[in-house]
Amino acid sequence: MIRCMAIDDEPLALQQIAAYIGKVPFLELAAQCQSALEAHAFLQHDTVDVIFCDINMPDLNGMDFIKALAAPPLVVFTTAYAEYAVEGFKVNAVDYLLKPFGLQDFMRTANRIQERLQPLRPLTSHPSPLTSENDNIIFLKTDYRIVKVTISDIRYVEAMSEYLKVYLEGGAKPIVTLLSMKKMEERLPDYFMRIHRSYIINLTKVQEVNKNRVIMDSETYLPIGDMYKETFQKYIDAKFLSK
């Protein structure tokens, strides 16, 4: 099922979107909110695959709300103002529903959403056994996409509030994803180690250890937290070569 959030400050419009979502077999209503602030509070502790968002709302309009999200899901803007359409597509909206819209219009949008997400879903309900190759692969949700990441290419992971920045070998920009350090730590293999409350490093990518810092490259110096020093030092001692 594709988890949906509906945001609209008009109760009747919100009820209509919720009703349309309920009529589509592959959509599931995870939350309905009457303001962007209410939606933001929900997203602090949960995730959705797509947001149906009105634009012209008090306090914080829908466009600014979506722009403020570090890793927004798919977005469909719903509004009575056609002039917002071009701006909506600038923030990678999957579609734009002009009010008043009917079920047929909504179904076309729902099919577009399914087409975007379908390649990322399994083709069969019977998963094949894991192999050593796909044990080295994870998928991360970032912006409106889900991207494949080769675990061995991860250099280090940085915590940033409720989000993580995943830095890859040869990557110009980190991948920003809504995920906890605990979940990431559980998924990563033994050659990764947490050295700080905000950092997990790929031990194979370390270039140098200098006092209380791990040097990943000439521009990246990561601190070693007090509660992680002992474990990290044991790793260094085990690998230390002396005469």
Side-chain angles (χ1 to χ4, degrees):
M1 296 289 282
I2 298 173
R3 287 168 54 82
C4 305
M5 169 185 279
I7 312 172
D8 201 305
D9 63 313
E10 298 177 5
L12 291 178
L14 189 60
Q15 290 175 20
Q16 182 191 51
I17 297 172
Y20 285 168
I21 291 172
K23 293 178 183 294
V24 181
F26 52 84
L27 297 184
E28 173 190 8
L29 182 63
Q32 48 183 325
C33 307
Q34 288 191 259
S35 71
L37 298 179
E38 185 182 343
H40 178 73
F42 177 88
L43 292 174
Q44 294 298 302
H45 60 80
D46 211 336
T47 59
V48 295
D49 299 306
V50 60
I51 296 176
F52 292 88
C53 187
D54 186 23
I55 294 179
N56 193 22
M57 294 187 293
D59 296 327
L60 179 63
N61 72 54
M63 192 72 67
D64 290 339
F65 168 64
I66 297 300
K67 288 178 179 178
L69 293 178
L74 295 184
V75 178
V76 175
F77 284 115
T78 61
T79 182
Y81 301 93
E83 59 268 26
Y84 286 123
V86 173
E87 189 178 358
F89 286 118
K90 285 182 180 179
V91 295
N92 295 312
V94 67
D95 209 349
Y96 183 96
L97 287 169
L98 185 62
K99 297 177 181 178
F101 54 86
L103 180 58
Q104 186 174 359
D105 298 318
F106 187 88
M107 283 299 302
R108 279 197 294 268
T109 297
N111 288 332
R112 287 186 181 181
I113 294 168
Q114 188 182 39
E115 287 172 4
R116 287 281 191 97
L117 296 176
Q118 191 65 44
L120 305 174
R121 300 182 181 276
L123 297 177
T124 173
S125 58
H126 304 287
S128 59
L130 290 176
T131 65
S132 57
E133 180 181 357
N134 57 35
D135 271 345
N136 191 37
I137 290 171
I138 56 175
F139 287 88
L140 297 175
K141 183 181 290 187
T142 179
D143 296 325
Y144 59 94
R145 303 168 296 138
I146 296 177
V147 297
K148 183 178 78 170
V149 174
T150 302
I151 294 175
S152 57
D153 286 343
I154 298 174
R155 297 176 59 239
Y156 66 97
V157 178
E158 178 183 5
M160 183 183 64
S161 186
E162 68 270 27
Y163 293 92
L164 298 182
K165 286 183 176 180
V166 181
Y167 292 82
L168 301 177
E169 193 71 34
K173 292 183 179 180
I175 295 172
V176 179
T177 185
L178 180 62
L179 196 65
S180 70
M181 285 288 270
K182 184 174 185 249
K183 287 287 186 185
M184 179 62 83
E185 198 172 7
E186 289 172 352
R187 179 62 184 86
L188 293 175
D190 292 341
Y191 56 89
F192 283 84
M193 181 180 291
R194 191 164 183 175
I195 61 164
H196 188 276
R197 63 190 300 270
S198 298
Y199 295 102
I200 299 172
I201 63 169
N202 184 335
L203 295 166
T204 69
K205 308 292 184 183
V206 174
Q207 292 190 2
E208 187 177 332
V209 180
N210 189 334
K211 296 182 180 179
N212 292 324
R213 298 182 302 177
V214 172
I215 301 174
M216 306 299 290
D217 56 49
S218 60
E219 298 179 352
T220 308
Y221 294 69
L222 305 181
I224 304 171
D226 289 340
M227 65 182 296
Y228 302 95
K229 281 181 182 177
E230 183 178 351
T231 302
F232 185 70
Q233 189 59 50
K234 285 181 179 178
Y235 167 79
I236 295 297
D237 291 346
K239 301 289 184 182
F240 191 78
L241 187 65
S242 61
K243 62 180 181 180

